[in-house]
Amino acid sequence: MKIYDLRSDTVTKPSEEMRKAMYKAEVGDDVYDEDPTVNRLQDLASKITGKRSSLFVSTGSMANLIALYINGGRGNDVLMHDQAHSLHHELGAPSAIAGINPVGVPGERGILRSEILKDFVKSQNSAYYDAKTTMLVIENSHNFAGGTCYYRENLKDIQSFSSKYNLNSHMDGARVFNASIATGISLKEISSYTDTISFCLSKGLGAPVGAMLCGSKEFIQEAKKVRKFLGGGTRQAGIIAAAGIYALENNINRLIEDHINAKNLAKALMSKPWAKVDPSTIETNILFFETIGISAQKLEKKLARRGILCFATSENKIRFVTSLEVNKQDINSISGIINSLEI
Ligand SMILES: Cc1ncc(COP(=O)(O)O)c(C=O)c1O
């Protein structure tokens, strides 16, 4: 039986061409800044984001953690969406290691807005028992809100809010290339609205390992130290950086296919009495649907028996994520299975 893996875009495997690029990579000791391939990847990330400097790190979680460590500060409040990845899915490391106090803020479709955020800001003049708010994190696209994106108006709102309240700002851009393609806003422009940005190479872009953290020269100098402090100073990392370069040079534009595929899956689900989803709300490669008359856990198992892997994220919600692991033909086959599924 063929397996269709819709659990996440983290399941992507490096292609033959990507592996060749890794095999041929020139390497050196990156802790001494001597790995030419890592240096090339970092320069490329700076060019794409328009930030002065960039750092190659092992994971998106590590990139977020370093930003929080430097720009949040121990005991301070950091505002983030109440469904943010950093709040719920990074093992409490933002509190345990960076020492920040994460504050979840509601926002429709995962999007934070100044009119709601402002009520969560605490300053030095607040009550004696209040922590000070130092930082704001936005997630673009927003994973658990269903791959939703910040549009220009939202990004401008975030920028002026951070500046008004003198907050450091970070974008968890694990899937920011998906957001860029969906909104038509260049990555350079998206990156200009926050002080720092991180993005993952190992999700839809298809690299096996790695994420980038980008910001000012001073921020990245500090970030390099914090990375080492966390045990993340790697040596001949060019082997994996080469996959990141390959991903950035070859796998960005094809993300649109994943978006189309996600919308088509939503269309297939829409006609089923056991699923509730509105295809017009699908912006990128992530779709959530509500299960009707069956628990999400039961449906997840039923789908797995037919070769479709996915995640039940609550009692009645299932997440599908499209990626280069499932092509258009696979989507047709999955739609066929969905159509024939009796509950
Ligand atoms: C929005 C978001 N941020 C950060 C991460 C963390 O990335 P990593 O798995 O590389 O630590 C993820 C992972 O899925 C994510 O969805």
Side-chain angles (χ1 to χ4, degrees):
M1 182 173 64
K2 183 163 168 135
I3 301 294
Y4 304 100
D5 201 338
L6 300 174
R7 286 172 303 164
S8 178
D9 46 10
T10 56
V11 301
T12 52
K13 298 187 189 85
S15 65
E16 189 82 20
E17 289 308 309
M18 186 180 273
R19 286 166 190 260
K20 279 186 192 154
M22 295 171 77
Y23 177 75
K24 287 190 196 148
E26 261 188 88
V27 295
D29 191 329
D30 180 48
V31 171
Y32 302 156
D33 291 325
E34 285 172 6
D35 189 300
T37 310
V38 171
N39 292 341
R40 202 147 61 80
L41 172 62
Q42 291 174 165
D43 289 347
L44 183 58
S46 300
K47 195 170 148 213
I48 292 173
T49 57
K51 294 295 188 200
R52 175 71 169 74
S53 297
S54 299
L55 188 70
F56 183 40
V57 296
S58 303
T59 61
S61 302
M62 186 185 270
N64 288 338
L65 183 57
I66 294 172
L68 290 165
Y69 190 97
I70 298 170
N71 280 338
R74 292 191 80 74
N76 294 326
D77 278 4
V78 176
L79 309 182
M80 55 186 77
H81 192 270
D82 59 15
Q83 287 185 64
H85 195 275
S86 292
L87 186 58
H88 296 292
H89 305 286
E90 291 170 16
L91 293 106
S95 308
I97 301 174
I100 60 116
N101 187 36
V103 177
V105 178
E108 219 182 305
R109 297 171 40 256
I111 306 303
L112 293 174
R113 288 180 186 274
S114 56
E115 71 251 30
I116 295 172
L117 280 164
K118 70 177 177 4
D119 295 333
F120 288 80
V121 178
K122 293 175 199 152
S123 70
Q124 230 135 22
N125 308 325
S126 299
Y128 73 90
Y129 44 75
D130 277 342
K132 187 184 169 202
T133 311
T134 52
M135 189 173 174
L136 166 69
V137 176
I138 63 168
E139 192 174 306
N140 189 24
S141 65
H142 197 288
N143 184 344
F144 282 86
T148 49
C149 306
Y150 278 78
Y151 286 79
R152 190 170 278 116
E153 159 223 348
N154 311 120
L155 291 164
K156 286 190 170 163
D157 180 44
I158 288 300
Q159 186 184 41
S160 62
F161 172 78
S162 320
S163 145
K164 179 170 175 191
Y165 291 95
N166 202 19
L167 304 179
N168 296 315
S169 55
H170 174 68
M171 187 181 299
D172 173 357
R175 298 181 180 80
V176 74
F177 289 98
N178 296 87
S180 169
I181 287 195
T183 59
I185 311 173
S186 72
L187 206 78
K188 204 178 238 172
E189 182 180 340
I190 292 180
S191 309
S192 72
Y193 294 108
T194 52
D195 299 323
T196 57
I197 178 169
S198 55
F199 65 81
C200 287
L201 299 162
S202 65
K203 297 197 163 60
L205 295 182
V209 182
M212 304 306 297
L213 178 61
C214 314
S216 69
K217 188 173 169 207
E218 298 70 31
F219 170 78
I220 292 298
Q221 272 168 353
E222 186 64 19
K224 197 172 175 201
K225 283 198 172 167
V226 178
R227 183 185 68 174
K228 184 87 176 100
F229 166 78
L230 295 171
T234 47
R235 305 292 177 170
Q236 287 72 31
I239 296 276
I240 47 174
I245 295 173
Y246 183 92
L248 291 174
E249 288 177 346
N250 297 280
N251 289 349
I252 295 175
N253 290 337
R254 62 149 307 284
L255 291 172
I256 186 73
E257 292 169 34
D258 299 340
H259 301 180
I260 295 167
N261 288 341
K263 219 180 233 303
N264 285 337
L265 283 180
K267 284 180 189 159
L269 286 165
M270 194 176 76
S271 61
K272 304 308 293 181
W274 43 265
K276 187 174 167 206
V277 62
D278 176 358
S280 72
T281 61
I282 310 303
E283 296 180 39
T284 57
N285 67 327
I286 299 178
L287 84 87
F288 282 85
F289 66 92
E290 220 177 285
T291 61
I292 297 165
I294 182 168
S295 76
Q297 285 76 13
K298 262 195 186 150
L299 185 57
E300 179 195 293
K301 287 197 182 95
K302 232 174 170 21
L303 288 165
R305 282 197 290 273
R306 301 287 301 273
I308 302 172
L309 305 184
C310 59
F311 276 136
T313 58
S314 70
E315 272 285 289
N316 67 342
K317 261 193 178 169
I318 284 194
R319 188 185 74 169
F320 281 179
V321 184
T322 54
S323 69
L324 47 74
E325 288 296 307
V326 282
N327 60 28
K328 193 175 169 195
Q329 218 175 327
D330 295 331
I331 296 297
N332 289 340
S333 307
I334 297 168
S335 301
I337 296 170
I338 287 171
N339 264 325
S340 66
L341 201 69
E342 294 299 334
I343 298 298

